[in-house]
Amino acid sequence: MLDRRLTHVVAAAREGSFTLAAQRVGVTQSAITKSIAELERELGFLIFNRTARGTLVTEEGRVFVERAARLLDDAKDLLQGRSNSHDPYGGTLRIAVCPASLEWQLIEPVTLLLGRHPTIRLEVSGGNFERVVQQLRTGQIDVALGFDAAFREQPDLRIGPLPPLRTTLFVRRHHPILKTDPVTTADLARYVFVSPSDSQPYASTIRGWYESHNIDPREKLHLIDYFPIVRRVVATTDAIGFIAVQFTHSEAFERRFTRVPFLEFFPLKPLCWAVRARWEPRPAVRAFTKACRESLHYPEAECVADASA
């Protein structure tokens, strides 16, 4: 059997806390602490930096945790009788989306994926970029989907391009900014924004708009992934939000909201999938990325409507 300490290390990395790791594996917190400390002494380096807010994986520890997580996953599959020679697509495929507001992008890919490989079982989660990257590095998820601008800055991840997401700014009907033509960053900086994530490409761009006009972004920026809340905030205040273009053509949108003609002049936001660079993706991951490439696209009618807006 594998060394029990590997389970303790992976649990601590995934939970970000020795206390939570102990609860996860069913031992005491002191047992986890002692187990990991012994392992670190044997290895000759720290796996974790201990802080008042929890545990953070060190650079050396990251490689160890990745290998430990892979070993544990392989052992679990083996003991459950799964064999790559029998069904290479069987088992659980763990997908994360960041920001979580992009989860709707999975509708077509997973439909196509499960039609081709019905033995795949899905675990889909959403979160902020920092959390998803940590989960990817520690093996808690198999593949992530998000914005290329954020993932490309991570040298230990391998990414694959996906079609860009067409987004636009939207506000409630009769919003004061609609009287401005043309809209400038100075005009936008007067208002509160709702950003889906505190990372690339949205929050960093908005922060730049505020800072270029000597405004503290902390006084102006909401960070909300859950779109029903975003929609309510925009509908009841003067806040400005982001929305995918295809959702702006409905009667429900047009009754309460309108687009702000500004982002149409900016480059589109490419999406991507990301996996750990050190490990070859298993067949289910490759099948998922293929389904994404084939199903994520924009209808011709939408492109025409957007160009004429």
Side-chain angles (χ1 to χ4, degrees), residues 11-251:
R14 291 176 174 175
E15 297 295 339
S17 160
F18 286 178
T19 300
L20 294 178
Q23 295 173 6
R24 182 186 182 99
V25 301
V27 299
T28 64
Q29 187 270 335
S30 60
I32 288 281
T33 302
K34 180 180 179 182
S35 172
I36 293 176
E38 289 178 349
L39 185 56
E40 288 176 327
R41 283 196 295 272
E42 289 184 20
L43 295 172
F45 59 82
L46 290 178
I47 302 173
F48 299 101
N49 286 321
R50 284 74 164 169
T51 72
R53 300 180 61 182
T55 58
L56 298 173
V57 180
T58 65
E59 285 299 316
E60 288 181 302
R62 180 189 303 169
V63 176
F64 184 86
V65 170
E66 287 180 356
R67 295 187 64 183
R70 186 64 173 259
L71 284 170
L72 292 173
D73 286 345
D74 288 347
K76 182 179 179 180
D77 286 349
L78 183 63
L79 293 173
Q80 289 178 347
R82 297 177 185 146
S83 170
N84 285 343
S85 62
H86 177 257
D87 183 2
Y89 298 97
T92 301
L93 175 63
R94 298 161 299 179
I95 307 167
V97 182
C98 62
S101 55
L102 288 179
E103 287 185 17
W104 63 272
Q105 289 277 73
L106 293 181
I107 295 173
E108 296 302 326
V110 300
T111 300
L112 182 59
L113 177 69
L114 294 178
R116 292 171 172 170
H117 307 290
T119 58
I120 291 177
R121 294 296 173 262
L122 298 175
E123 287 185 8
V124 177
S125 60
N128 62 45
F129 174 76
E130 290 73 19
R131 179 183 180 189
V132 168
V133 168
Q134 180 72 358
Q135 290 175 328
L136 194 57
R137 286 170 173 162
T138 59
Q140 193 170 354
I141 59 173
D142 300 304
V143 59
L145 184 147
F147 287 106
D148 176 271
F151 281 104
R152 76 167 62 156
E153 299 174 358
Q154 310 301 315
D156 58 326
L157 302 182
R158 179 155 59 92
I159 66 174
L162 295 174
L165 177 66
R166 293 179 174 269
T167 58
T168 188
L169 301 179
F170 80 110
V171 294
R172 61 175 177 82
R173 292 184 66 84
H174 310 299
H175 190 287
I177 201 170
L178 299 175
K179 299 177 182 179
T180 303
D181 185 22
V183 176
T184 67
T185 57
D187 299 317
L188 295 173
R190 294 166 50 202
Y191 298 98
V192 170
F193 265 85
V194 187
S195 175
S197 178
D198 192 18
S199 61
Q200 292 277 17
Y202 292 116
S204 58
T205 299
I206 299 169
R207 290 180 190 278
W209 294 344
Y210 286 135
E211 291 168 353
S212 66
H213 298 287
N214 299 315
I215 297 173
D216 186 346
R218 293 174 297 180
E219 299 176 358
K220 292 280 193 174
L221 188 59
H222 296 303
L223 297 174
I224 304 173
D225 274 335
Y226 188 54
F227 189 74
I229 298 178
V230 176
R231 185 174 56 211
R232 180 63 62 87
V233 171
V234 172
T236 57
T237 71
D238 284 343
I240 301 174
F242 291 89
I243 188 171
V245 167
Q246 56 262 53
F247 295 141
T248 66
H249 304 311
S250 68
E251 292 183 7

